[in-house]
Amino acid sequence: MNQSNEEHQGPDGPYFHRPAREPMFNLPTVVVGLSLILIGIHLVRAYILSPNEEVQTLLLFAFWPVRYVSGFMAQYSWPGETASAVWSFLTYGFLHGSAEHIGFNVLWMAVFGSAVARRFGATRFLLLSAVCAIAGAGAHLATNWGDQVPVIGASAAVSGQMAASLRFIFEAGGPMSSFRRHDTHAYAVPARPLLEALSDRRVLTFILVWFGLNFLFGVWSAPIAGEGVSIAWQAHVGGFVAGLILFPLLDPIKRRWS
């Protein structure tokens, strides 16, 4: 993101300079690129793959907790065998069950992921997203051992992005603070330690509402129509917790101590 100054002309020449605000939809390239990849994969699955190819795609790349039950792989043949049991901890995040499903994830990534991408840069942003997706799969596996319903969606990664953004967006001068800045410096404000950040009523309220909504999703969760897969709230929680914990390890901005 580049900041420019607007020069205003008066009768005797320029009389002040004001920082020009960036366009609202000037999203980081990495967020746009990742969103297009997710959308492209979904369109290929929806309009190009045959029903049999779609089933094979889910077997190869969705996350199936049942695969990790002792003796399962020795008893059943599975596309990709052991390799797909490893990469599916990440690849499930590239699959979505419907246009609404992917739309929500892309929307929240545009809002919260963009803030993290502007602060972290592309490489750290992608690393955070990948580790949060893996953490989400691990959390779902731990709480749904042997479940035969596959899990898909980028929600765990996006939840991690949300959590990471909470570590700095409400700080003084941050992009969502009361006295916010409108330039790149808004995304470079020093962050407080986690326990101190949790004392901020805005951060705590966001987290409580977020966990409450995910609890409701868990109570009323059901397989996605036409796909036979479900969105797991435990994966969301795993990704969110990972984002909170990983933030200081990946944050390129020196932390503020009080």
Side-chain angles (χ1 to χ4, degrees):
M1 297 194 324
N2 296 319
Q3 181 188 4
S4 61
N5 289 330
E6 293 179 349
E7 184 175 81
H8 295 258
Q9 295 291 329
D12 300 316
Y15 57 88
F16 72 89
H17 294 267
R18 179 173 61 86
R21 294 187 183 183
E22 298 188 34
M24 181 181 299
F25 299 105
N26 185 18
L27 300 177
T29 302
V30 66
V31 171
V32 174
L34 184 55
S35 298
L36 291 177
I37 289 173
L38 296 178
I39 293 170
I41 291 173
H42 184 71
L43 291 176
V44 169
R45 291 177 55 221
Y47 297 105
I48 297 179
L49 297 187
S50 67
N52 180 63
E53 290 171 334
E54 167 64 0
V55 170
Q56 293 299 309
T57 297
L58 289 174
L59 290 175
L60 271 170
F61 301 113
F63 187 75
W64 301 76
V66 69
R67 298 185 62 182
Y68 306 94
V69 174
S70 178
F72 179 86
M73 293 301 295
Q75 184 176 358
Y76 297 97
S77 176
W78 199 281
E81 299 297 338
T82 304
S84 65
V86 175
W87 70 50
S88 62
F89 272 85
L90 176 63
T91 57
Y92 80 98
F94 291 91
L95 307 177
H96 291 82
S98 65
E100 292 79 11
H101 187 195
I102 193 172
F104 276 115
N105 279 335
V106 168
L107 173 62
W108 292 121
M109 181 163 61
V111 175
F112 295 98
S114 291
V116 178
R118 290 183 178 116
R119 185 182 183 95
F120 278 12
T123 300
R124 295 181 190 219
F125 171 78
L126 292 175
L127 179 59
L128 172 78
S129 302
V131 176
C132 289
I134 293 170
H140 181 77
L141 179 62
T143 53
N144 293 272
W145 186 260
D147 194 348
Q148 299 183 35
V149 179
V151 176
I152 59 174
S155 299
V158 174
S159 295
Q161 296 164 14
M162 285 184 177
S165 73
L166 289 179
R167 299 296 302 273
F168 67 91
I169 59 175
F170 293 119
E171 294 294 329
M176 294 187 67
S177 68
S178 301
F179 302 98
R180 64 180 64 88
R181 299 184 58 141
H182 297 284
D183 55 18
T184 56
H185 294 291
Y187 303 96
V189 295
R192 291 174 290 179
L194 178 57
L195 292 180
E196 186 177 340
L198 292 176
S199 66
D200 188 314
R201 184 169 56 186
R202 296 163 298 180
V203 174
L204 187 58
T205 298
F206 186 102
I207 292 176
L208 291 176
V209 170
W210 187 90
F211 271 92
L213 289 175
N214 275 275
F215 174 76
L216 293 179
F217 292 154
V219 171
W220 283 294
S221 64
I224 301 172
E227 292 290 345
V229 293
S230 63
I231 307 172
W233 66 271
Q234 297 97 328
H236 300 185
V237 172
F240 192 91
V241 172
L244 282 178
I245 295 174
L246 285 173
F247 175 83
L249 301 180
L250 294 173
D251 188 20
I253 309 301
K254 187 175 180 180
R255 186 165 53 173
R256 176 166 66 85
W257 297 91
S258 59

